[in-house]
Each structure stands twice: as C-alpha cells, then as structure tokens.
C-alpha cells in the first residue's frame, strides 16, 4: 500500500523539542522531494520546510528558520523534521507530502496537486 505516515507529535512546553517522522511505504521516498506543512485551527495550510530529491537543497519558512531542521534517512525511507525552541504559535497539525517536483512543494498553494500526503500528526506547544 502506498502511503506516508507521520509520527512524533505531542504536547510539549514552550522552548521544548520534538522530532517528527514521515515514513513512506510502497514507494522509494528518496526519489521524491518531501515537504512538511502545518495547519492551525481556522488557518490555511502553510509550508514549513522541504527538501529536494535532486540536490539536497532545503527550504524553511521564515517563522521556523534557525529552529527547525529537515533531513532524510534513505535507508529507513523516512524524512524527519527536528523542531527546537518550540513556541505556542507552532501549534498545528503537521503533514508531510511527497512530490517528484521540488517546486510543487516549495511553492505550494491550496490549489496545488501533490503526489502524496500523509494524514498528519498533532503538535501542541503549551505550558
């Protein structure tokens, strides 16, 4: 079965850390660009970070730059999002997505078509 499954979300205090995982099954993830997105209640889904399948280039939204790091483990067919110095405004459902074209993730809009989406994992930052 072809799917992406996110894990690693949870409740964390401000200033804490979490590592999200995006595991692929049924296809080889390193052939795809992978992105992390998030959606808070009442807000549109926004891009957080993505990593290229061609040259390893990465992108980070300004709101997470310097705090979040995206990486791949090809042996595990998994992409990670290390999140440090978490803030209450990072609270959202986090989704991973994979597409053959990096720009489809880098310049994602609500009307874009992406090859694969995960179902999301909840991240709550609260004291």
């Amino acid at each position: 079965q072809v799917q992406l499954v996110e894990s690693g979300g949870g409740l964390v205090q401000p200033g804490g850390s979490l590592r999200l995982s995006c595991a692929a099954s049924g296809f080889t993830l390193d052939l795809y660009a992978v992105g992390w997105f998030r959606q808070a209640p009442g807000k549109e889904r926004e891009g957080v970070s993505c990593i290229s399948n061609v040259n390893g280039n990465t992108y980070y939204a300004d709101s997470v730059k310097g705090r979040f790091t995206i990486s791949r483990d090809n042996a595990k067919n998994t992409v990670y999002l290390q999140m440090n110095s978490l803030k209450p405004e990072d609270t959202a459902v986090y989704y991973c997505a994979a597409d053959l074209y990096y720009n489809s993730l880098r310049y994602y809009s609500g009307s874009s078509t992406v090859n694969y989406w995960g179902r999301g994992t909840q991240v709550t930052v609260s004291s």
Side-chain angles (χ1 to χ4, degrees), residues 73-117:
D73 185 335
N74 293 335
K76 295 184 178 180
N77 216 27
T78 299
V79 168
Y80 301 100
L81 185 69
Q82 178 67 44
M83 306 188 297
N84 299 330
S85 302
L86 283 162
K87 305 175 181 181
E89 51 263 43
D90 294 318
T91 295
V93 178
Y94 283 70
Y95 301 89
C96 67
D99 198 277
L100 288 172
Y101 301 102
Y102 174 75
N103 283 349
S104 295
L105 302 177
R106 170 66 180 86
Y107 299 107
Y108 172 81
S109 69
S111 60
S112 301
T113 300
V114 171
N115 291 146
Y116 302 111
W117 282 100

